[in-house]
Amino acid sequence: MENSVIVIGGGISGMTAAGMLALQGLSVTLLEKEKETGGHLARWDRLFPDRRKASEVLDFAREGMKRVNLVTGVTVTDISRQGREFTVVINSPIPNPQSPTPDHETVLKARALLLATGFDLFEARKKEEYGYGIYNNVITSADLEDRFKLKKGILTSEGKIPARIGIVHCVGSRDEKVGNLYCSKVCCVTGVKQAIELKEMLPAAEVFNFYMDLRMFDRHFEELYYEAQQKWNVNFIRGRLSECAENPDGSIIVKTEDTLTGKPFKITVDLLVLLTGFVPAGSTGDIAGMLGLVTGTDGFINSADSHIMNNSTDIPGVFVAGAVKGPISIGEAIADARAAAIQLAIYLNSPTPADD
Amino acid sequence: MIDFGYTITKDRQLDYDRGDMRYYRLVQSLEPSVDVCMECGSCTATCSAGQFTEFNIRKAHTLIRRGNTESIKAELRKCMFCGKCQLVCPRGVNLRNLILAMNRAIELLG
Ligand code: SF4
Ligand code: SF4
Ligand code: SF4
């Protein structure tokens, strides 16, 4: 098929890029391993910093994908390159396959690939001392977002309204003990957003954020932090969670150092929220392996150049967008996906691409 | 001494210009991981000695890095060398060897 592109990954980056490429008249197939597109964004209730509904952003991206050939519920099992053509094998039959193959797989051809396999959330159980999966009142930020979205109210596992809630920053990030030295970038602002939302729902509750640095890197983020302090009286304790224990009544004892007073700090909370960070998606490693693409020591894909070739890779015709390259916000992912779409279209339109 | 009706209060500031960096340099050569601490406080939070005394292992090695060793000389003896701090350090600081290094520096430099 002429000018065809395969986008792997149907989160916000893959959806945005696929839509942009199709709008430029290219024939685009989007492969997604889940039944639905939307990735992590589909789990969010409201987005930082302005708390617009995540569903609006998702609807916009879906609207843009009308001309994209969407294939969901499939896994890529093999990729090979023959000159400027790629062969991608997926693990299930789809209607109108481009070449006859055994009925448990389909072979697709493309002139360019866009990898948008995104990220997985850090598995909070790995931080055993934090008690996720052991103590019922320890949940993750994604669990909390689910509760916001389902509008079922915030209760402890004993059915009580929590009087005190702790929010723990850097869970699975900035932590050599779990092998992740990097910062996940968006959990700080997520923690501040969720603290405000908890206070809105439960004005009588006390909320404590345990942080090491508050990385309010983008426009309006610092103001959100200010609002959390000034309007909502959220407490910020500068110290990393060292360990938790459970009381007989199900409440959680949290231990940190309050590094600003230089004393060990202990507090009992009714609910503890762990801000779990990004890890490279499992499928990223698989696909990088099939293509022979280089990942960093952190497992995210390295682009050809972090400044000026940020959507290209060392393999001509293979492009990258979004969290496949590391932690990124929704707004940034959309901008990055659009940039990737333009780079990819230029590559396809040029007879002898500069990077070939 | 004549009583002038006032006393001179000792300066509280950490005067880096007058800091004694010999301790830090020696500690750093014995345990280079001292430099990657991000002041998270996990070590202090988990330290049993710090629960009952003013001993603060994070502050102790930070003060050495600031050239202020005097205040921690007596403090360091409270460490029981259990190694819990090292188990939790998210930056992989080799705290047990760091404590040995700090004691060694104090032993050598007085
Ligand atoms: S964004 Fe904040 S919470 Fe997330 S890893 Fe970075 S410092 Fe930690
Ligand atoms: S080794 Fe010393 S400083 Fe570390 S936790 Fe034990 S008593 Fe505290
Ligand atoms: S646990 Fe490690 S990084 Fe944290 S304050 Fe102690 S030495 Fe520094």
Side-chain angles (χ1 to χ4, degrees), chain A residues 168-174 182-191 210-217 240 275-278:
Chain A
V168 183
H169 290 235
C170 304
V171 178
S173 311
R174 306 180 69 191
Y182 54 86
C183 161
S184 288
K185 187 168 152 180
V186 296
C187 14
C188 269
V189 63
T190 301
F210 299 95
Y211 72 100
M212 293 187 287
D213 300 284
L214 280 174
R215 299 196 161 159
M216 298 293 142
F217 64 94
R240 187 185 189 108
L275 292 164
T276 46
F278 285 49

Side-chain angles (χ1 to χ4, degrees), chain A residues 174-177 181 212 238-243 255-257 259 262-264, chain B residues 38-42 44-46 50-51 54 56 58 86-87 89-92:
Chain A
R174 306 180 69 191
D175 188 353
E176 197 205 48
K177 293 288 186 287
L181 270 182
M212 293 187 287
R238 194 191 174 284
R240 187 185 189 108
L241 176 61
S242 109
E243 57 189 311
K255 283 172 74 180
T256 72
E257 181 193 356
T259 58
K263 290 188 187 302
Chain B
M38 61 174 158
E39 306 290 350
C40 74
S42 300
T44 297
T46 199
Q51 304 297 320
E54 280 297 311
N56 183 322
R58 177 187 59 80
Q86 188 166 336
L87 282 177
C89 175
R91 276 286 173 94

Side-chain angles (χ1 to χ4, degrees), chain A residues 169-237:
Chain A
H169 290 235
C170 304
V171 178
S173 311
R174 306 180 69 191
D175 188 353
E176 197 205 48
K177 293 288 186 287
V178 297
N180 300 336
L181 270 182
Y182 54 86
C183 161
S184 288
K185 187 168 152 180
V186 296
C187 14
C188 269
V189 63
T190 301
V192 171
K193 180 203 80 124
Q194 291 188 333
I196 291 175
E197 290 171 322
L198 286 166
K199 287 293 290 185
E200 280 176 338
M201 294 174 76
L202 308 169
E206 289 180 290
V207 177
F208 293 81
N209 283 51
F210 299 95
Y211 72 100
M212 293 187 287
D213 300 284
L214 280 174
R215 299 196 161 159
M216 298 293 142
F217 64 94
D218 216 340
R219 193 166 173 220
H220 304 311
F221 290 11
E222 187 69 17
E223 289 85 338
L224 200 69
Y225 170 28
Y226 186 86
E227 181 191 330
Q229 295 179 291
Q230 189 217 26
K231 186 168 173 193
W232 303 103
N233 198 21
V234 174
N235 302 284
F236 289 88
I237 309 287

Side-chain angles (χ1 to χ4, degrees), chain B residues 47-49 55 57 79-85 99:
Chain B
C47 171
S48 313
F55 174 56
I57 178 60
C79 165
M80 300 171 289
F81 215 59
C82 65
K84 271 177 80 182
C85 48
I99 294 157

